[in-house]
Every structure is written in structure tokens, then in C-alpha cells.
Amino acid sequence: MEDTTTQEAAAAAAERPSSALALRSLADYTVGAIPTLFYVPDFISNSEQSQLLHHIYQAPAPKWKSLKNRRLQNWGGVVHEKGLLPQALPSWLTRITDRICQWTGLFPSAINHVLINEYHPNQGIMPHQDGPAYYPVVAIISLASPVVIDFTPHQRLKEQEHTDPQNLQIDELTGPAKMESNGSGSHERGATNESDPACSSLMLMPCSLLIFKDQAYTDYLHGIQDNELHNLDKVKNLLRCPELKHLSSDSIQGSMDKQRGTFRRTATRVSLTCRVREVLSKLFGEQCVHKRK
Ligand SMILES: O=C(O)CCC(=O)C(=O)O
Ligand SMILES: [Fe+2]
């Protein structure tokens, strides 16, 4: 489905080399103590951000699915318990997902699934692990508002699975865990990073790319607190967010309280969670399973 104007495509193409050229290799973007966590500021340009937001908010109202604490759009096909019934991603998404694929070199095939989440300043996503139907590499593009994402080790969840098997459920969208369906993964209630030195938080600025994989994917829960005020105590990448110093400029919204070490969200954030999802080769038939590295 081609819905991009030639002008827009030309503008994006003209811009791509400059942002791509400015990038170093992925290994240069590790952050914090978890080795498989990467933060890439300015992965997309401001005008690419505007184009993405334009397309996202042009989608027909039924494309949005409202959840208790956010709403989302699902692109790439319908998720079924046995995999994905695929539907090609629109070109305004593949322009970004193909670049992520190429530059990272981490995905076994083209990114085929994008979940778009929208969060008001008091909304978030509970600590969760993305389900087993995804290849264990996640790429998240952030738009419109900064937010803090927390990574918390989930040994507790693993122990629970071992000791309490009757608690396990297989969710339509996820894997075995105590969970609440979020359209994306499994949720653990009440996980907290207050006292755990192993946890890591990152500030996700608009236009940035977050990549997490392997250990960060399998041994950590990730989540965003559902309040306007975010604590910066455990944020590992503040030095890589120089724009936070200029919050009065109209491009980035929010406010910092340096004394208290907090950031207040004031704008709606949108994110693109880009993944490779197992695809059903035949309806309810044979499944194509990715080899995990
Ligand atoms: O919005 C985000 O940055 C996180 C989204 C997420 O974790 C998910 O879609 O599974
Ligand atoms: Fe997730």
C-alpha cells in the first residue's frame, strides 16, 4: 500500500544519508552495565519524526486499540497464538525498519512487525518481557516526548516458574509467565527496581533508537512508570541527552528538576517497537521458527 507522496519520499531519501553517515557502529552505543543494551541518539531526523507522527495520526480510528494505560496500533499483520498472519508494512514504516535492520545487522530477516504505543504523560507500560514468538532483538524508536524506561532483572519471575508451575498460563500473545496481556508481552505485577543495583534505566529522547537483545531481552523486564514524574537516579545515559539542558526550546517538552533529580513529562509520547515475528507459512499449518543465536 503506497501512501507516501513523491515529494515526501524524495525529502526522506535526501535526508537519510546525513543521519546514517553520522552513525558509528552499534558497538559504540552500549550503555550501562547490561552489555546487550544500546542507546542511539538521533537515529532519525526531526523531519522523519514529523512524517512518522503524521502517518500515525492519519490512521483511521479503528486502527487504535485502547488498553487501560495506553493505546496502540498494530502493523505487520494479525498476531495469532501460533505466529503472525503477515501483512506488508507500509512504506512509511519500512523506510525506517529497513534502515534499522541494515545498520544493526542483528535481525535474521526484514522487520515484519511494528507496534506503535501512545502514552500520555501519566501513562506507561508495566514491567514485562516480550513474548517468545519474537526474535529476541527489539528496536524501539521514540517520538515526541522523553521518557525513562527501566530494565529490572527478573530472576524472581524465573524462580516462580520453577517452583509454582500451576501458576503458568500460556497467553495468546506471549509465553509462560504470570501475566496480563498487553498486546506485546507478559507482565509481572509489582516489579520494582528501587533496591536492586543490577537494574538500569535509560532516558529515551525523541528520535532515538533503543536496541536490546539477548541477556537484556531474556533476563530483564522492561517497563515505563505510569506517572508524570520520572526519577533520574538510575538513568545511565543522561550525558548522551544534551537536549535535556534546553527544555525551554519548543522541540523537546518536559521539565527537569536538577535538585530533586527528576524529569516531568508534559507531552504525549509515541514509540515504535520494531521486531521480527514468527510467520505462519500456512494458515494454522507449519510454522517458520527462527533460529535463535
Ligand atoms: O514504548 C516503549 O518504549 C516500550 C514498548 C514495549 O515495551 C513493547 O511494545 O513491548
Ligand atoms: Fe516490551
Side-chain angles (χ1 to χ4, degrees):
M1 209 192 345
E2 181 58 68
D3 55 353
T4 329
T5 64
T6 320
Q7 251 184 345
E8 190 184 286
E15 217 174 303
R16 205 168 310 138
S18 60
S19 61
L21 276 180
L23 292 176
R24 302 187 300 272
S25 72
L26 181 66
D28 291 332
Y29 294 92
T30 52
V31 66
I34 310 170
T36 53
L37 201 52
F38 306 87
Y39 175 74
V40 188
D42 298 319
F43 184 79
I44 62 168
S45 66
N46 278 327
S47 88
E48 284 172 324
Q49 166 175 244
S50 306
Q51 286 164 29
L52 285 169
L53 288 168
H54 168 78
H55 286 290
I56 291 165
Y57 285 106
Q58 259 201 341
K63 188 74 186 164
W64 287 105
K65 181 180 175 194
S66 288
L67 304 180
K68 210 176 78 196
N69 224 5
R70 67 201 152 94
R71 54 176 195 157
L72 57 87
Q73 292 180 11
N74 181 76
W75 290 94
V78 181
V79 174
H80 179 270
E81 67 181 23
K82 288 184 177 157
L84 183 75
L85 292 174
Q87 212 168 42
L89 291 174
S91 60
W92 56 270
L93 280 175
T94 53
R95 200 179 299 144
I96 303 296
T97 55
D98 287 350
R99 198 195 312 166
I100 294 173
C101 235
Q102 263 188 346
W103 179 70
T104 63
L106 292 176
F107 293 90
S109 53
I111 287 169
N112 61 359
H113 192 254
V114 177
L115 207 58
I116 295 179
N117 286 296
E118 183 203 60
Y119 307 86
H120 294 309
N122 62 348
Q123 295 185 319
I125 185 165
M126 290 171 78
H128 66 282
Q129 184 179 17
D130 293 0
Y134 294 105
Y135 187 76
V137 177
V138 184
I140 297 179
I141 296 276
S142 290
L143 309 175
S145 168
V147 82
V148 172
I149 189 165
D150 304 311
F151 283 82
T152 341
H154 72 105
Q155 198 55 36
R156 191 150 68 80
L157 188 66
K158 280 187 177 164
E159 281 163 10
Q160 200 171 11
E161 282 177 22
H162 280 118
T163 57
D164 200 3
Q166 72 272 26
N167 275 344
L168 300 185
Q169 305 164 30
I170 304 294
D171 183 87
E172 179 199 351
L173 300 173
T174 60
K178 262 191 139 176
M179 64 186 64
E180 174 194 344
S181 169
N182 71 337
S184 182
S186 58
H187 274 174
E188 183 188 19
R189 284 182 180 281
T192 170
N193 65 8
E194 291 310 312
S195 57
D196 197 328
C199 64
S200 221
S201 298
L202 295 181
M203 177 66 88
L204 303 182
M205 296 300 283
C207 298
S208 69
L209 169 69
L210 168 73
I211 299 271
F212 63 96
K213 63 178 196 113
D214 302 339
Q215 189 197 1
Y217 187 96
T218 53
D219 298 353
Y220 288 77
L221 301 173
H222 55 281
I224 295 167
Q225 292 194 9
D226 55 0
N227 50 41
E228 289 172 22
L229 213 53
H230 281 187
N231 206 307
L232 301 177
D233 277 6
K234 294 194 162 65
V235 174
K236 306 288 191 234
N237 65 331
L238 281 181
L239 289 176
R240 300 190 207 177
C241 308
E243 310 93 319
L244 283 175
K245 289 190 189 138
H246 310 289
L247 284 178
S248 49
S249 75
D250 44 23
S251 59
I252 310 255
Q253 294 182 52
S255 62
M256 288 278 277
D257 185 332
K258 283 188 189 138
Q259 251 167 2
R260 291 205 168 85
T262 55
F263 172 75
R264 183 176 293 279
R265 296 149 80 190
T266 57
T268 295
R269 170 176 181 263
V270 175
S271 67
L272 279 62
T273 303
C274 310
R275 291 173 288 201
V276 169
R277 172 100 203 185
E278 284 172 10
V279 168
L280 292 178
S281 55
K282 281 184 256 153
L283 191 60
F284 307 132
E286 192 188 322
Q287 231 173 316
C288 151
V289 180
H290 305 295
K291 274 198 195 134
R292 296 191 176 216
K293 281 182 193 168

